Amino acid sequence: MRGVFTVAKVAISRATYSFDCEYSYIVPPEMCEYLTVGARVLVPFGRGNKKTIGFVTRTYNDTHFNENLKPVISVIDMPSLISDEMLKIIFWLKDNTFCTYFDGFRTVVPTGFSYKFSQRYELANKAIDTSVLTEQELNAIEYLKSVPSKREVDCFLDTTISIERKKLVESLVDKGFLEEVDVLKRKTGDETVKMVRLSDKYHKGQLDLKFTERQNLVVNLLEECECASIKEVCYMTNCTNAIIKRLVDKGVLTEFSKEVMRNPIGEVEQTKSVSDIVLNYEQYVAYEGITKLIDDNKPAGALLYGVTGSGKTSVFFHVISHVISVGKTALMLVPEISLTPQMVSKFKSYFGNSIAVLHSSLSLGQRMDEFKRIKNGDARIVIGTRSAVFAPLSNIGVIIMDEEGEHTYKSENSPRYHARDVAIQRCGYHNCLLLMASATPSLETFYYAKNGRFHLFELKERFANAQLPQVDIIDMQAEAESGNNSLFSRELADKIRETIDKKEQVILLLNRRGFNTYVSCLECKKPMSCPNCNIPLTYHKKNNKLMCHYCGYTMDNSGKCPECGSDHLHSSGVGTQRVEDEIANLFPNAKLLRMDADTTFSKYSYEENFRAFENGEYDIMLGTQMIAKGLNFPNVTLVGVISIDKALFTGDFRSYERTFSLMTQVTGRCGRGDKPGYAYIQTFVPDHYVINLAAQQNYDEFYNQEIALRHALTYPPYCDICVICFSSQLESKAIMASDWFVQNMKKYIKENEIKMPLRALGPVPCTIERINNKYRYRLILKCKNTSSFRSMISDLLMQFYKNKNFGLVRITADINGDIGL
């Protein structure tokens, strides 16, 4: 065949890493006009030509027709949901996080847009020649013609019922009396409202009808406003749906559906002006420097480093206002869903309906509609958590990462990306600025800022001359020796009473939920452990159950040891539920708000609870790390850290950094108004330098000590770390797989004569050796994240997946992720 043929490269949705590549398909001529790069398509795949969803990565023209190429069956997206930029991001994710192409697609496109493909059988529209049908087949045809619903047809034609039913259906298909129909169903449909307007026949005067008084009201309303929803018409004319239906039946009205957006933040008006926010000298200097970088129209990175309460958010508002004024868009990232409501509330008052919100607590429909608003240009400012970094904004002027040192910006599931790295890629595409901000930035970011890779702006003083809180460290060992067995030191308990009496508020931090974190038997000395993970279960008093926080296993608290049957059980360890009980005993008149994963599972729980606390409906807020950062409550004058010691010794090289950040941030929640703040840190290691430096809010000295330790031990930023994890229900398989990987990595380096800095630690069992009935081993590689290193890991992963001996082993590769578990 001669001519020019269009070939599409397609990434398949159900491909595993071992055969994830771009497959070539011929594009039928009639599809060439509307098939675009990035669009999903239905294609035949594999030897059985199973119909599969994929997306087009690129197209090209070819003059040589290849008979082996299969044709694209149909186009699903018209137009494509992803831009050229997002397509590049998908390729970047594939290269840097070792995911599949379609994993990348699913990450940048909301789940609500996903399609489920299935096939069903329908009666063919043809005359029945009974001479070719058996009696059984004829009876089946007659039955299918008589049933009223598609569901009954599908049930009857279900080939999984029996072998005989499968043979019957296949025979009817072969003889042409049944045909296969492709069914594509989107996970979440569009939200629509039924509308009515006056029909063309009415406008042309082709109807000679007399209307009742109510019908006249409907007609007159629609002559005035052209169209309206049925609900609005009924409300405005005080009529019923039956009247509308009669007018539709008579041809007076035309009924149609109109898409409406599910807005998670409601319609709001701009009530304040950014110009009303007065910046102090430090803030203004930072603002001037940041806007200069934005106006240069070059990709750049900057760190806004300021103490807690220094007014970084005010600088954000001015920067975003500047970006909007020059016709660009802005992206604001926050690390926790808990920070979104307060941030959105502030943005609504200054920017009105031009903002959109993206985070996992939205419904699938809301997230999908926010995506549409952003893509259509109806929203110019996006606020959200980690996944919002993929928001389909165009012409971005600035990407802001608030509290950029938070570990929640790193994805723990495939693709294992860091929002900062994706933001850097987007800044390169849009020639815009990445503005990172924190009182406790990550060591890597602060190191790069110190060395000139990022621009550094500092806010050394709190806004409006507010003072940093006075922080005291309480030695709980001394408290115990003096006979105080309470969870609260005497000094903290007295200060809580004093604060409540003054009608001021208290924040208490304990980064462990549940009641008791450890229950053991005094007879056989064995702990109550999860059978799937072999770690102690946590007791939850509210439902009287023992729960595993890793795999979700639960068991009733019978009060007896499951091993020996003894009722002599000992509970230890403290969770937020136990602290809640103690607060009720010590401060019976105090109104307590508990914020942890057990109390914030509903959609609007964060927003409602924080608003109630801000309005003074509670005296004390007790919670986990979700209450420690980014929140601003002017009436909070006291912060208490119940216990922090365990976080210091988790086995991760970042444990000191995270513990310092958590303590510094939570103590910074108090004294943010015109009242002085006080904070107490309770610990059994009061002389530990991390705790003392956090009490002083001295990040610079902490950085100096920690960066020297990182340099001596060769940890980031002086190297990158790649963690290869192996998991299997058979421990022997996990061990075999990890050993195979090490041996083949050595072989790869030798055969390819690669010279790269590389240090391997392991393979060894993970800190928690078994989770969800799977044994876990890991190999830690200290390396440089170069293209040659990633090529090596990718090649080894391909070999691993193709090795039939490891079919029961799961392998993951994560660059610069956590190594603590």
Side-chain angles (χ1 to χ4, degrees):
M1 293 180 66
R2 294 183 177 180
V4 178
F5 306 96
T6 301
V7 179
K9 289 289 189 178
V10 178
I12 302 301
S13 60
R14 58 190 185 92
T16 62
Y17 195 83
S18 60
F19 60 91
D20 182 49
C21 57
E22 300 170 271
Y23 293 89
S24 298
Y25 288 88
I26 286 289
V27 181
E30 64 273 15
M31 292 185 190
C32 292
E33 292 183 7
Y34 52 84
L35 186 144
T36 56
V37 173
R40 282 172 294 184
V41 291
L42 192 65
V43 294
F45 184 72
R47 293 178 180 176
N49 288 328
K50 186 174 181 179
K51 294 178 181 178
T52 306
I53 295 173
F55 76 95
V56 179
T57 56
R58 57 194 174 97
T59 60
Y60 63 92
N61 292 328
D62 197 344
T63 56
H64 300 286
F65 182 75
N66 187 341
E67 294 181 355
N68 295 323
L69 294 186
K70 303 171 186 177
V72 174
I73 297 171
S74 63
V75 180
I76 299 172
D77 296 323
M78 291 184 286
S80 168
L81 293 174
I82 59 174
S83 62
D84 290 340
E85 180 200 6
M86 283 298 109
L87 189 62
K88 290 180 179 178
I89 292 290
I90 290 172
F91 276 82
W92 181 88
L93 289 171
K94 163 80 172 173
D95 179 50
N96 286 266
T97 70
F98 313 110
C99 67
T100 65
Y101 286 113
F102 219 87
D103 279 342
F105 183 91
R106 291 187 189 98
T107 302
V108 303
V109 175
T111 306
F113 284 107
S114 62
Y115 277 88
K116 182 180 180 181
F117 173 74
S118 61
Q119 290 181 303
R120 60 188 303 271
Y121 297 99
E122 288 184 355
L123 279 173
N125 187 19
K126 61 179 290 185
I128 298 176
D129 181 5
T130 56
S131 63
V132 299
L133 294 176
T134 66
E135 183 178 355
Q136 182 188 20
E137 292 170 346
L138 186 59
N139 291 336
I141 294 294
E142 293 299 326
Y143 172 77
L144 292 172
K145 292 175 66 176
S146 66
V147 295
S149 68
K150 288 184 178 179
R151 177 176 292 182
E152 290 177 273
V153 172
D154 292 339
C155 288
F156 181 80
L157 297 177
D158 185 357
T159 57
T160 62
I161 293 175
S162 64
I163 296 176
E164 289 75 16
R165 184 63 55 88
K166 183 179 181 180
K167 289 180 178 179
L168 173 64
V169 171
E170 289 175 348
S171 175
L172 290 172
V173 170
D174 292 340
K175 293 176 180 178
F177 293 98
L178 288 179
E179 57 186 14
E180 285 184 330
V181 178
D182 296 338
V183 180
L184 278 169
K185 185 176 181 181
R186 201 167 75 186
K187 192 176 187 73
T188 305
D190 295 328
E191 184 82 0
T192 59
V193 60
K194 288 186 177 180
M195 307 281 290
V196 286
R197 62 171 178 258
L198 293 171
S199 67
D200 293 338
K201 288 184 179 180
Y202 175 85
H203 284 300
K204 292 176 181 178
Q206 297 175 358
L207 299 173
D208 185 18
L209 300 170
K210 291 183 178 181
F211 301 128
T212 64
E213 182 181 350
R214 291 288 172 83
Q215 289 174 337
N216 263 321
L217 289 174
V218 173
V219 171
N220 293 337
L221 174 67
L222 292 175
E223 282 182 340
E224 183 179 339
C225 64
E226 293 187 359
C227 67
S229 70
I230 293 177
K231 188 176 180 179
E232 289 173 328
V233 172
C234 291
Y235 176 78
M236 297 291 290
T237 62
N238 198 27
C239 71
T240 62
N241 282 332
I243 294 174
I244 305 294
K245 189 176 184 306
R246 280 196 290 273
L247 287 172
V248 171
D249 292 341
K250 291 179 179 180
V252 178
L253 303 182
T254 298
E255 187 178 318
F256 63 98
S257 294
K258 178 184 177 183
E259 183 181 358
V260 293
M261 296 296 175
R262 290 157 282 212
N263 191 340
I265 58 177
E267 294 296 321
V268 290
E269 293 183 3
Q270 182 178 340
T271 59
K272 299 178 182 178
S273 172
V274 174
S275 60
D276 296 334
I277 303 175
V278 180
L279 302 179
N280 62 25
Y281 177 74
E282 281 189 332
Q283 290 173 316
Y284 183 76
V285 170
Y287 165 72
E288 286 284 297
I290 292 166
T291 52
K292 183 180 183 305
L293 292 173
I294 292 171
D295 293 340
D296 285 344
N297 290 318
K298 296 178 182 178
L303 171 64
L304 181 59
Y305 164 53
V307 298
T308 55
S310 57
K312 293 182 284 294
T313 305
S314 297
V315 178
F316 297 161
F317 282 127
H318 277 273
V319 168
I320 291 174
S321 179
H322 172 80
V323 166
I324 298 301
S325 69
V326 296
K328 295 187 176 183
T329 59
L331 175 58
M332 175 85 188
L333 299 177
V334 294
E336 297 264 5
I337 295 173
S338 61
L339 300 184
T340 311
Q342 200 172 60
M343 189 67 73
V344 169
S345 178
K346 293 175 184 176
F347 270 79
K348 283 193 297 187
S349 60
Y350 287 103
F351 299 104
N353 287 319
S354 62
I355 66 173
V357 179
L358 289 174
H359 57 75
S360 58
S361 282
L362 300 181
S363 69
L364 293 180
Q366 287 174 332
R367 193 175 176 85
M368 191 170 74
D369 287 351
E370 288 292 83
F371 182 92
K372 291 178 187 175
R373 287 183 62 230
I374 299 165
K375 189 173 175 60
N376 295 338
D378 297 331
R380 301 181 65 193
I381 303 168
V382 175
I383 306 168
T385 49
R386 179 181 64 225
S387 60
V389 75
F390 301 106
L393 285 167
S394 57
N395 196 21
I396 299 175
V398 66
I399 300 175
I400 298 174
M401 283 185 69
D402 195 17
E403 306 298 349
E404 72 82 31
E406 277 296 283
H407 68 94
T408 50
Y409 281 124
K410 181 73 165 71
S411 172
E412 296 177 351
N413 300 310
S414 182
R416 293 171 174 81
Y417 65 92
H418 195 294
R420 180 180 56 241
D421 298 331
V422 178
I424 290 172
Q425 297 299 313
R426 300 203 70 180
C427 287
Y429 185 89
H430 291 275
N431 290 317
C432 68
L433 174 69
L434 170 60
L435 177 59
M436 298 161 284
S438 182
T440 54
S442 66
L443 255 74
E444 292 90 333
T445 297
F446 199 65
Y447 173 83
Y448 293 135
K450 286 275 192 180
N451 287 277
R453 182 172 175 180
F454 299 139
H455 300 268
L456 179 62
F457 303 95
E458 296 188 56
L459 303 176
K460 298 180 180 179
E461 302 293 333
R462 275 195 158 188
F463 185 73
N465 297 317
Q467 297 299 308
L468 287 170
Q470 176 186 321
V471 184
D472 291 335
I473 299 172
I474 307 297
D475 185 354
M476 293 304 288
Q477 185 66 40
E479 288 283 323
E481 289 172 357
S482 65
N484 180 15
N485 296 318
S486 169
L487 299 177
F488 293 88
S489 62
R490 294 182 179 91
E491 196 171 348
L492 177 56
D494 291 341
K495 196 65 178 178
I496 291 174
R497 290 189 188 92
E498 180 187 329
T499 303
I500 294 173
D501 289 342
K502 291 192 295 185
K503 305 299 182 184
E504 295 167 0
Q505 292 172 299
V506 181
I507 287 179
L508 298 175
L509 172 74
L510 179 65
N511 203 23
R512 290 193 301 274
R513 61 191 177 99
F515 191 86
N516 292 118
T517 57
Y518 191 86
V519 181
S520 61
C521 176
L522 296 176
E523 294 290 337
C524 65
K525 313 299 182 185
K526 293 184 179 179
M528 305 276 273
S529 300
C530 173
N532 302 324
C533 306
N534 200 27
I535 58 174
L537 296 170
T538 299
Y539 174 58
H540 286 249
K541 187 177 180 181
K542 291 292 182 183
N543 58 7
N544 195 32
K545 289 186 181 295
L546 293 157
M547 301 177 65
C548 175
H549 290 172
Y550 290 93
C551 72
Y553 172 83
T554 62
M555 64 179 288
D556 294 329
N557 179 33
S558 63
K560 292 185 178 182
C561 174
E563 294 289 333
C564 67
S566 172
D567 57 2
H568 294 98
L569 302 178
H570 173 69
S571 300
S572 59
V574 180
T576 50
Q577 291 182 9
R578 185 176 168 193
V579 178
E580 182 182 28
D581 273 16
E582 186 133 350
I583 290 173
N585 293 329
L586 292 174
F587 317 106
N589 296 322
K591 291 171 286 185
L592 174 67
L593 171 64
R594 195 178 103 231
M595 294 287 290
D596 56 31
D598 298 322
T599 63
T600 56
F601 47 81
S602 64
K603 186 184 297 185
Y604 300 108
S605 53
Y606 293 107
E607 186 174 358
E608 292 169 354
N609 289 338
F610 285 145
R611 186 186 298 119
F613 187 73
E614 188 172 18
N615 293 337
E617 296 176 28
Y618 296 97
D619 303 310
I620 302 173
M621 178 161 64
L622 164 69
T624 52
Q625 65 180 13
M626 66 175 64
I627 67 169
K629 301 188 179 187
L631 300 172
N632 183 30
F633 300 112
N635 197 40
V636 172
T637 58
L638 176 63
V639 166
V641 179
I642 305 300
S643 176
I644 200 71
D645 298 349
K646 189 176 180 181
L648 283 169
F649 310 110
T650 60
D652 192 323
F653 72 93
R654 293 190 180 94
S655 59
Y656 282 7
E657 179 184 357
R658 288 176 179 168
T659 306
F660 176 89
S661 175
L662 187 61
M663 286 189 289
T664 303
Q665 293 282 357
V666 74
T667 54
R669 295 313 101 201
C670 65
R672 298 172 75 90
D674 54 4
K675 303 170 186 175
Y678 301 89
Y680 293 87
I681 299 174
Q682 298 184 159
T683 176
F684 284 90
V685 284
D687 297 327
H688 201 292
Y689 80 94
V690 172
I691 293 176
N692 282 270
L693 290 174
Q696 299 166 23
Q697 296 228 346
N698 191 346
Y699 177 83
D700 292 286
E701 181 57 31
F702 170 76
Y703 168 80
N704 290 333
Q705 295 202 31
E706 186 70 9
I707 204 71
L709 188 63
R710 297 275 185 97
H711 185 266
L713 299 176
T714 315
Y715 277 108
Y718 298 102
C719 75
D720 294 296
I721 287 186
C722 180
V723 179
I724 314 293
C725 192
F726 309 86
S727 61
S728 175
Q729 290 186 342
L730 298 174
E731 186 176 14
S732 59
K733 286 289 185 182
I735 295 171
M736 185 191 304
S738 60
D739 290 338
W740 176 93
F741 194 93
V742 172
Q743 295 303 318
N744 279 268
M745 182 172 64
K746 292 178 180 178
K747 181 180 176 183
Y748 182 96
I749 293 172
K750 184 177 180 179
E751 289 180 351
N752 292 276
E753 298 181 351
I754 296 174
K755 293 183 180 180
M756 65 171 74
L758 185 65
R759 183 178 298 173
L761 306 176
V764 293
C766 295
T767 306
I768 301 177
E769 187 175 347
R770 186 162 60 100
I771 291 181
N772 203 14
N773 255 338
K774 290 185 178 179
Y775 292 90
R776 305 163 65 241
Y777 279 70
R778 70 181 173 202
L779 172 68
I780 299 174
L781 302 175
K782 291 184 177 181
C783 58
K784 282 295 181 183
N785 185 10
T786 61
S787 59
S788 60
F789 174 78
R790 293 193 302 273
S791 295
M792 179 185 73
I793 297 299
S794 178
D795 189 76
L796 290 171
L797 289 174
M798 295 278 281
Q799 293 180 44
F800 183 91
Y801 279 112
K802 291 176 180 178
N803 193 322
K804 295 180 180 180
N805 293 323
F806 303 135
L808 299 177
V809 182
R810 182 172 180 261
I811 185 173
T812 60
D814 188 6
I815 296 181
N816 292 328
D818 287 344
I819 65 173
L821 294 181

